[in-house]
Amino acid sequence: MRIALVYPPTSELDIKGYSLGLAYLCASLNKRHEVDVYNYNGKEFNKSIRLFLSSIKIKKPDLVGISFNSFNRQGAFKLLKQIKKIDKKIFVVLGGVHPATLYVQIFKYFYNDVDFIIQSEGEISLPMLCQALETGGELSLISGLVYKDKSGGIIANRVSNLVKNLDDLPLPDYSYVAEEIKQKEIGYLITSRGCPVNCERAYEFSGKNRGRS
Ligand code: B12
């Protein structure tokens, strides 16, 4: 599959850096798929939106994955409103803290613009979704996947498959920010998952503490 992963810009904060989530997703997708990454973290808002959409018009990927937190949600919403207008066959998949938590609200407002949300770690679920889309596989088996049913509602699969040992994952692929890392001589690394101060998402985790080190 040809996949475009994008981290939208924000007009709310002056932030720099890059998403570790995308680096992990790239590593887990790279072997089987052709992945382009568009990192607009800290970049100019309107210009980034324009650049991304014109790139999608030219490249017409099979799937666009948008990764976002709450502070760059406006950028994500601008992008996701346009993708199906470019080509309605492009699958639009959302992930990251904001859509993972507020998937009901997002499907309420953007039902026709979004196909899937993954409300958990993406390294296993996103490749499984790509495979299911390629082969007509079963969506109900994909951990944390939220998708539409035929009656205009949504189905949210249980998060059944959290990564137990981070060493089982391929090392994050930073090639999309190689130049930035070289220039600044700073690279991010995270050695745990979940919230470092034992925060807990209110639901979807059946009361189990997700924080672990
Ligand atoms: C480490 C961290 C940082 C680091 C590094 C961030 C970075 N470059 O990635 C630093 C210290 C720089 C940082 C800064 C900030 N952070 Co911070 N940070 C975190 C922390 C603790 C972990 C994030 C992380 O790397 N996780 C590991 C990666 C692998 O996970 P992930 O990115 O979530 O991606 C996975 C899934 O979400 C999913 N996924 C993600 N995208 C997609 C896309 C698709 C299509 C799919 C299918 C799946 C998918 O798959 C990925 C792999 O499993 C989180 C809290 C948390 N537990 O999530 C807060 C958090 C993300 N940060 C937060 C905030 C607010 C900020 C700042 C805005 C703070 C500030 N005022 O400056 C800045 C903004 C940084 C930026 N964007 O440039 C908030 C966001 C809240 C919100 N609702 O938006 C969080 C949730 C903390 C909190 N509870 O408030 N942060």
Side-chain angles (χ1 to χ4, degrees):
M1 246 186 184
R2 288 179 313 115
I3 298 175
L5 291 179
V6 57
Y7 193 83
T10 174
S11 52
E12 293 175 22
L13 286 170
D14 180 19
I15 50 172
K16 305 272 180 302
Y18 54 88
S19 152
L20 280 172
L22 286 191
Y24 275 94
L25 292 179
C26 280
S28 64
L29 290 167
N30 268 344
K31 280 202 185 110
R32 293 213 46 221
H33 304 280
E34 203 182 301
V35 185
D36 287 326
V37 182
Y38 300 83
N39 174 32
Y40 297 114
N41 201 13
K43 302 273 165 51
E44 207 264 305
F45 190 83
N46 290 326
K47 189 177 169 197
S48 303
I49 302 289
R50 267 199 321 274
L51 280 175
F52 180 72
L53 293 174
S54 43
S55 191
I56 294 306
K57 269 181 204 149
I58 295 164
K59 293 201 165 181
K60 297 259 180 81
D62 303 303
L63 184 150
V64 172
I66 310 180
S67 174
F68 60 106
N69 293 310
S70 303
F71 51 81
N72 61 343
R73 71 193 180 286
Q74 296 301 349
F77 297 159
K78 283 234 173 215
L79 297 181
L80 66 83
K81 288 291 285 175
Q82 298 303 322
I83 295 165
K84 297 263 181 210
K85 287 183 192 155
I86 294 171
D87 185 343
K88 63 177 188 315
K89 291 198 294 299
I90 299 174
F91 293 111
V92 177
V93 187
L94 312 183
V97 168
H98 189 89
T101 316
L102 294 175
Y103 61 83
V104 173
Q105 189 191 65
I106 289 183
F107 270 117
K108 180 174 167 199
Y109 291 109
F110 302 109
Y111 196 84
N112 294 323
D113 307 304
V114 174
D115 297 296
F116 304 101
I117 295 177
I118 288 178
Q119 36 141 351
S120 64
E121 294 161 316
E123 290 92 341
I124 296 168
S125 296
L126 185 56
M128 275 180 82
L129 173 62
C130 293
Q131 192 178 355
L133 295 173
E134 283 174 330
T135 61
E138 185 50 67
L139 297 179
S140 66
L141 302 175
I142 302 175
S143 171
L145 183 71
V146 189
Y147 53 106
K148 302 177 199 178
D149 67 17
K150 292 200 173 79
S151 58
I154 56 168
I155 300 170
N157 293 346
R158 206 167 59 83
V159 178
S160 55
N161 198 2
L162 287 175
V163 177
K164 288 193 183 64
N165 179 3
L166 292 181
D167 292 339
D168 292 342
L169 296 175
L171 286 172
D173 179 349
Y174 294 114
S175 44
Y176 80 98
V177 279
E179 198 47 44
E180 188 175 328
I181 293 176
K182 203 169 144 194
Q183 272 173 17
K184 294 188 181 150
E185 298 182 337
I186 292 175
Y188 296 112
L189 185 70
I190 189 160
T191 56
S192 64
R193 285 280 161 97
C195 181
V197 287
N198 277 343
C199 289
E200 194 177 31
R201 291 226 294 262
Y203 50 100
E204 308 306 337
F205 286 102
S206 331
K208 284 188 195 133
N209 192 337
R210 189 173 186 241
R212 55 190 195 276
S213 54

